[in-house]
Amino acid sequence: MTDDSQSKGPPRPATLKDIARALKVDVSTVSKVLSGGGISVRSETRQAIIDEAHRLNYRAHASARNLRTRRTGAMGILLPNLMNPVYASIVRGAVRRAEETGYVMLVADVEDEASTTSVYLRLVSERRVDGLIIAVSARSKEIISVIEDNPIPHVFVNRRASIGRSVTVDDQAAGYLAAKTLVEAGHTRLGFIGDSDDLDTAQRRRAGFLRGCIEAGLPPFLDVVGPYSRKGGYESALKLLDAPERPTGVFASNLLVGIGALAAMRVRKVRVPEDISIITLDAEDAIYASPPLTAIATSLLEMGARAVDEVDAILHGREPQDVVIESPPRLIMRESLGPPPKPPKPSRPSK
Amino acid sequence: MTDDSQSKGPPRPATLKDIARALKVDVSTVSKVLSGGGISVRSETRQAIIDEAHRLNYRAHASARNLRTRRTGAMGILLPNLMNPVYASIVRGAVRRAEETGYVMLVADVEDEASTTSVYLRLVSERRVDGLIIAVSARSKEIISVIEDNPIPHVFVNRRASIGRSVTVDDQAAGYLAAKTLVEAGHTRLGFIGDSDDLDTAQRRRAGFLRGCIEAGLPPFLDVVGPYSRKGGYESALKLLDAPERPTGVFASNLLVGIGALAAMRVRKVRVPEDISIITLDAEDAIYASPPLTAIATSLLEMGARAVDEVDAILHGREPQDVVIESPPRLIMRESLGPPPKPPKPSRPSK
DNA sequence: CCGAATTAGTCAATCGATTGCTTAGCCACA
DNA sequence: TGTGGCTAAGCAATCGATTGACTAATTCGG
C-alpha cells in the first residue's frame, strides 16, 4: 500500500532500505549491486534492483556514504578574489571539470592569511572535502605550517609552493613571447610591469621577458613593480611614462595591470599604439578595450581543470607531479601593438 | 601511552570518542556539552571537555552530524557563468556571507537546461546542501517541474520566478535613474540597450527607463534588444548608431553591454561623450575604461549576501519574502556622460 | 527520617550506506 | 555417502555524532 507510485515524486529521497523493502531483499544486497560489485547476484535480482533504484530516482546519501567510506566526492578551492577575472577563469575551469569528474566543488573566497587558515582548517577537520586546490600564495610560514600539520591531498594552482605540487601555465614562455613580439615590431626600449618577485608567477614572467631581451641583444628593460591590480597597473604605467628614457613597448604581465596601464595612457594623452605599444596577458575579452589589447593568452580554464585532475590523481594513489599546462601561450594580435614612433631621437641625440 | 602530546598534530582529526576516552566520560556527555546543551554538567567537567576539545582541535565530522541531524551546513549556488562579472560579484557576496554565517558554499557553473537539471537533482537527492541559491533563469517548464518535484529551500537571485522567492536589486529604480540623469544632462533623444522581455531584469530596467522618459515628457526612446553580453552590446550599439534619428544619450542596461557598446563607438569613430553619451550599469571598475564609464551601480555583492540570508531564514522556519535590496542604485559620475552635441538641430528644426 | 526532586551523567538507538563474515542450498566427485 | 566447492544472499558491525530515556547519587522539604 505504498502510494508513491509515479504520480508524485516522494517528498523524502529514497534510501537503500526503500529499495530493499520493495524487493524483499537485504539492503546489503542492494548496496552491493548498486555500488560495491564484489558479489554474485542472480541477474533477475540485479536487474530488479537496478530498475527499482531507477524508478525511485535513488541516489546514495552523500553523508552516509562518506561516513563509511571516508570519501566525500567533494573538492574545495581557496582563492583570494572571485571578481578578479584571472581567478574567475581558473575557478570556472575547475568547477566544470569537477562536475564532469563527479565531484562537487566547494568555493571559498578568502581575504587574508587569517581567513585562509581558518577556512582551511574548517574544511579539513570537518572532513568536508577529499582534496583542495589552493590558489592563494602560501608564502607565510604560518600557512605552510598549518598545511603541514593538517595535511590533505592538495595542489597549488597558478602558484608554486614549497609544499606539495602545483599546476601552472608556462609563464616564462609567455614573458618570452611578449618580448619577442615587441622586438619583432621594432621596439628596442622595452618596459615591463610586474609584481614583486615574491609572487612566483611575476618572477617567471619577468625571467622569460628578460631572456627574450637578451636574445635580441637589447639593453636592460625598464622594470616597474606594483601589485597585480587595475590600480597597480595604472600607477606602474605612470612610472614608466615618467621615466627618463620612456620605453616604446610595454609588457603588462597581468590582465588587470594591462587594463590599468591602458587607462593611464589615456589620462596622460599618450596614444596607443602610436606613441607606445602595449602587450598584456590573458585578455580574452580585451578585444572590447579601447584600443583592443594585444595579448599573450594562457590557458586559465585549462589550468583550473587540470588542477582538479591532479587532485583526483593523488586521490587515486598516483604520484603527483608539478604540471605545466602543455598548450603554450599564444599571441592574440589586436590594436595596442604597433611599430615604435618615428621622430623621437634617432638613438640618443647629443649626450 | 598516547603519544599525540602536542609535538605533532594528529594525522587523524579528533572525534568525540577521543575526547571522551581521555576524560573518562561518555561520548554523549561530550556531545551535549559541545553542541547540544540540554544537559546539566558540573562546570569542571564541562570545562575539561571544552579544553580537551580545544587541545585536540576538535571539529564535528560534518557527514556524521549531517546524517543524524539532517543539516549539512552547506548551501549551493547555481549560475550560468562565473566569468561574467555580474555573476562573479553575486557569487562573491554569497560565498563570503556563507562563510560568515557558518555555511560552506558549493558552486556550480551550469551551461544549459540539461546540466542545470542534472546538477540540481544531484545536489538535492544526494542531500548535499540545506538550501539553494538559483541565479539561472527558470523560465522553462522542465526546470520548474524538476524543482517542484524535488523541493528544497531556495531563493532566486537577480531573477524573479513563478516558484519560490527572489532577491533582486531595484532594477526599475536603476532604469529610472539612468533616464533622469540623461535628461538632466540635456538629452532628449534617448536610446536603451536591453535584452528580451523574457529576462525579467531587462524588463524592469526598461520599465524604469520608460517611466523616466515619460515624466520628462520625452517622446518614446529607441529600444534595442540583444543579449546581455559584450558582443550583444556591441551589435546593439551599432543598430543605435545606424538608426535614422540617432540618439544622443544611451543607457546600456548591463555592464557587458556597456563595454561592448563603448567598443562599437570607437570602431565607428563616434566620440564619447562629445558625440554620444553612455550610461551603463554595475560598472565598479569601468573607471578604467576609455573613457571611464558613467554608471548606475547596484549592490551585487549585497544581493548575493542577502540571498544567503534568505535561505538561512527559510531554514530557520521564518516566512520567506521577496526581497528588493534596500540600498538604492546610485549614480557614479565619470566621463562617458556629457551634454548632447550642439550642432545637430536645436530642437528639431522645421517641424 | 522518608519520599520527591534535582544533579550529573550513562545507555542505547538511530541516521544510511558499506563490507567482511556466514550460511543455506545445491551439485559434483570420489 | 561424505566432502568440497559454488552460488546467492543475509547478518551484523561500523563510520561519528546526536538525543530521548533512564539511573545513581545527592539534597531538600516536611
PDB file of all heavy atoms in Angstrom, chain A residues 207-222:
ATOM      1  N   ALA A 207      61.439  36.679 -15.903  1.00  0.00           N
ATOM      2  CA  ALA A 207      62.597  35.911 -16.373  1.00  0.00           C
ATOM      3  C   ALA A 207      62.470  35.621 -17.868  1.00  0.00           C
ATOM      4  O   ALA A 207      63.441  35.748 -18.619  1.00  0.00           O
ATOM      5  CB  ALA A 207      62.714  34.613 -15.585  1.00  0.00           C
ATOM      6  N   GLY A 208      61.263  35.239 -18.289  1.00  0.00           N
ATOM      7  CA  GLY A 208      61.058  34.960 -19.706  1.00  0.00           C
ATOM      8  C   GLY A 208      61.246  36.209 -20.549  1.00  0.00           C
ATOM      9  O   GLY A 208      61.847  36.170 -21.626  1.00  0.00           O
ATOM     10  N   PHE A 209      60.739  37.297 -20.043  1.00  0.00           N
ATOM     11  CA  PHE A 209      60.860  38.571 -20.753  1.00  0.00           C
ATOM     12  C   PHE A 209      62.342  38.934 -20.894  1.00  0.00           C
ATOM     13  O   PHE A 209      62.799  39.328 -21.972  1.00  0.00           O
ATOM     14  CB  PHE A 209      60.116  39.656 -19.970  1.00  0.00           C
ATOM     15  CG  PHE A 209      59.877  40.917 -20.735  1.00  0.00           C
ATOM     16  CD1 PHE A 209      58.918  40.959 -21.736  1.00  0.00           C
ATOM     17  CD2 PHE A 209      60.597  42.068 -20.456  1.00  0.00           C
ATOM     18  CE1 PHE A 209      58.681  42.130 -22.444  1.00  0.00           C
ATOM     19  CE2 PHE A 209      60.375  43.243 -21.164  1.00  0.00           C
ATOM     20  CZ  PHE A 209      59.412  43.262 -22.150  1.00  0.00           C
ATOM     21  N   LEU A 210      63.064  38.749 -19.818  1.00  0.00           N
ATOM     22  CA  LEU A 210      64.489  39.062 -19.809  1.00  0.00           C
ATOM     23  C   LEU A 210      65.226  38.213 -20.847  1.00  0.00           C
ATOM     24  O   LEU A 210      66.058  38.713 -21.610  1.00  0.00           O
ATOM     25  CB  LEU A 210      65.065  38.802 -18.421  1.00  0.00           C
ATOM     26  CG  LEU A 210      66.576  39.010 -18.272  1.00  0.00           C
ATOM     27  CD1 LEU A 210      66.937  40.462 -18.608  1.00  0.00           C
ATOM     28  CD2 LEU A 210      67.036  38.684 -16.857  1.00  0.00           C
ATOM     29  N   ARG A 211      64.874  36.940 -20.873  1.00  0.00           N
ATOM     30  CA  ARG A 211      65.525  36.063 -21.829  1.00  0.00           C
ATOM     31  C   ARG A 211      65.301  36.559 -23.263  1.00  0.00           C
ATOM     32  O   ARG A 211      66.219  36.616 -24.074  1.00  0.00           O
ATOM     33  CB  ARG A 211      64.988  34.643 -21.668  1.00  0.00           C
ATOM     34  CG  ARG A 211      65.728  33.596 -22.463  1.00  0.00           C
ATOM     35  CD  ARG A 211      65.466  32.191 -21.918  1.00  0.00           C
ATOM     36  NE  ARG A 211      64.058  31.838 -21.882  1.00  0.00           N
ATOM     37  CZ  ARG A 211      63.381  31.326 -22.918  1.00  0.00           C
ATOM     38  NH1 ARG A 211      63.998  31.117 -24.068  1.00  0.00           N
ATOM     39  NH2 ARG A 211      62.108  31.019 -22.801  1.00  0.00           N
ATOM     40  N   GLY A 212      64.066  36.974 -23.529  1.00  0.00           N
ATOM     41  CA  GLY A 212      63.753  37.497 -24.846  1.00  0.00           C
ATOM     42  C   GLY A 212      64.600  38.717 -25.179  1.00  0.00           C
ATOM     43  O   GLY A 212      65.087  38.876 -26.300  1.00  0.00           O
ATOM     44  N   CYS A 213      64.771  39.578 -24.215  1.00  0.00           N
ATOM     45  CA  CYS A 213      65.546  40.800 -24.439  1.00  0.00           C
ATOM     46  C   CYS A 213      67.007  40.466 -24.693  1.00  0.00           C
ATOM     47  O   CYS A 213      67.640  41.023 -25.592  1.00  0.00           O
ATOM     48  CB  CYS A 213      65.444  41.717 -23.218  1.00  0.00           C
ATOM     49  SG  CYS A 213      63.804  42.410 -23.020  1.00  0.00           S
ATOM     50  N   ILE A 214      67.517  39.549 -23.887  1.00  0.00           N
ATOM     51  CA  ILE A 214      68.931  39.199 -24.029  1.00  0.00           C
ATOM     52  C   ILE A 214      69.194  38.557 -25.379  1.00  0.00           C
ATOM     53  O   ILE A 214      70.129  38.918 -26.088  1.00  0.00           O
ATOM     54  CB  ILE A 214      69.358  38.244 -22.896  1.00  0.00           C
ATOM     55  CG1 ILE A 214      69.389  39.007 -21.569  1.00  0.00           C
ATOM     56  CG2 ILE A 214      70.723  37.630 -23.186  1.00  0.00           C
ATOM     57  CD1 ILE A 214      69.717  38.154 -20.369  1.00  0.00           C
ATOM     58  N   GLU A 215      68.294  37.652 -25.768  1.00  0.00           N
ATOM     59  CA  GLU A 215      68.474  37.010 -27.074  1.00  0.00           C
ATOM     60  C   GLU A 215      68.501  38.025 -28.198  1.00  0.00           C
ATOM     61  O   GLU A 215      69.171  37.835 -29.205  1.00  0.00           O
ATOM     62  CB  GLU A 215      67.344  36.014 -27.326  1.00  0.00           C
ATOM     63  CG  GLU A 215      67.584  34.672 -26.659  1.00  0.00           C
ATOM     64  CD  GLU A 215      66.549  33.645 -27.084  1.00  0.00           C
ATOM     65  OE1 GLU A 215      65.840  33.882 -28.091  1.00  0.00           O
ATOM     66  OE2 GLU A 215      66.441  32.611 -26.393  1.00  0.00           O
ATOM     67  N   ALA A 216      67.763  39.115 -28.014  1.00  0.00           N
ATOM     68  CA  ALA A 216      67.697  40.131 -29.061  1.00  0.00           C
ATOM     69  C   ALA A 216      68.844  41.126 -28.920  1.00  0.00           C
ATOM     70  O   ALA A 216      68.945  42.075 -29.695  1.00  0.00           O
ATOM     71  CB  ALA A 216      66.351  40.845 -29.004  1.00  0.00           C
ATOM     72  N   GLY A 217      69.670  40.933 -27.921  1.00  0.00           N
ATOM     73  CA  GLY A 217      70.792  41.837 -27.721  1.00  0.00           C
ATOM     74  C   GLY A 217      70.390  43.224 -27.258  1.00  0.00           C
ATOM     75  O   GLY A 217      71.079  44.211 -27.526  1.00  0.00           O
ATOM     76  N   LEU A 218      69.261  43.311 -26.577  1.00  0.00           N
ATOM     77  CA  LEU A 218      68.802  44.627 -26.126  1.00  0.00           C
ATOM     78  C   LEU A 218      69.405  44.971 -24.764  1.00  0.00           C
ATOM     79  O   LEU A 218      69.794  44.091 -24.000  1.00  0.00           O
ATOM     80  CB  LEU A 218      67.285  44.624 -25.996  1.00  0.00           C
ATOM     81  CG  LEU A 218      66.501  44.464 -27.281  1.00  0.00           C
ATOM     82  CD1 LEU A 218      65.020  44.628 -26.995  1.00  0.00           C
ATOM     83  CD2 LEU A 218      66.951  45.490 -28.317  1.00  0.00           C
ATOM     84  N   PRO A 219      69.472  46.263 -24.462  1.00  0.00           N
ATOM     85  CA  PRO A 219      69.896  46.682 -23.130  1.00  0.00           C
ATOM     86  C   PRO A 219      68.808  46.312 -22.126  1.00  0.00           C
ATOM     87  O   PRO A 219      67.694  45.957 -22.523  1.00  0.00           O
ATOM     88  CB  PRO A 219      70.021  48.197 -23.267  1.00  0.00           C
ATOM     89  CG  PRO A 219      69.076  48.560 -24.355  1.00  0.00           C
ATOM     90  CD  PRO A 219      69.115  47.402 -25.316  1.00  0.00           C
ATOM     91  N   PRO A 220      69.113  46.404 -20.827  1.00  0.00           N
ATOM     92  CA  PRO A 220      68.125  46.028 -19.806  1.00  0.00           C
ATOM     93  C   PRO A 220      66.826  46.806 -19.985  1.00  0.00           C
ATOM     94  O   PRO A 220      66.848  47.996 -20.318  1.00  0.00           O
ATOM     95  CB  PRO A 220      68.798  46.421 -18.489  1.00  0.00           C
ATOM     96  CG  PRO A 220      70.252  46.507 -18.803  1.00  0.00           C
ATOM     97  CD  PRO A 220      70.362  46.872 -20.239  1.00  0.00           C
ATOM     98  N   PHE A 221      65.721  46.112 -19.772  1.00  0.00           N
ATOM     99  CA  PHE A 221      64.425  46.796 -19.886  1.00  0.00           C
ATOM    100  C   PHE A 221      64.104  47.517 -18.589  1.00  0.00           C
ATOM    101  O   PHE A 221      64.720  47.269 -17.549  1.00  0.00           O
ATOM    102  CB  PHE A 221      63.332  45.789 -20.220  1.00  0.00           C
ATOM    103  CG  PHE A 221      63.239  44.658 -19.245  1.00  0.00           C
ATOM    104  CD1 PHE A 221      62.487  44.782 -18.083  1.00  0.00           C
ATOM    105  CD2 PHE A 221      63.887  43.455 -19.502  1.00  0.00           C
ATOM    106  CE1 PHE A 221      62.389  43.737 -17.191  1.00  0.00           C
ATOM    107  CE2 PHE A 221      63.793  42.402 -18.605  1.00  0.00           C
ATOM    108  CZ  PHE A 221      63.051  42.543 -17.452  1.00  0.00           C
ATOM    109  N   LEU A 222      63.155  48.419 -18.703  1.00  0.00           N
ATOM    110  CA  LEU A 222      62.721  49.178 -17.537  1.00  0.00           C
ATOM    111  C   LEU A 222      61.718  48.335 -16.762  1.00  0.00           C
ATOM    112  O   LEU A 222      60.661  47.982 -17.280  1.00  0.00           O
ATOM    113  CB  LEU A 222      62.085  50.485 -18.000  1.00  0.00           C
ATOM    114  CG  LEU A 222      61.805  51.506 -16.910  1.00  0.00           C
ATOM    115  CD1 LEU A 222      63.060  51.794 -16.092  1.00  0.00           C
ATOM    116  CD2 LEU A 222      61.309  52.795 -17.548  1.00  0.00           C
TER     117      LEU A 222
END
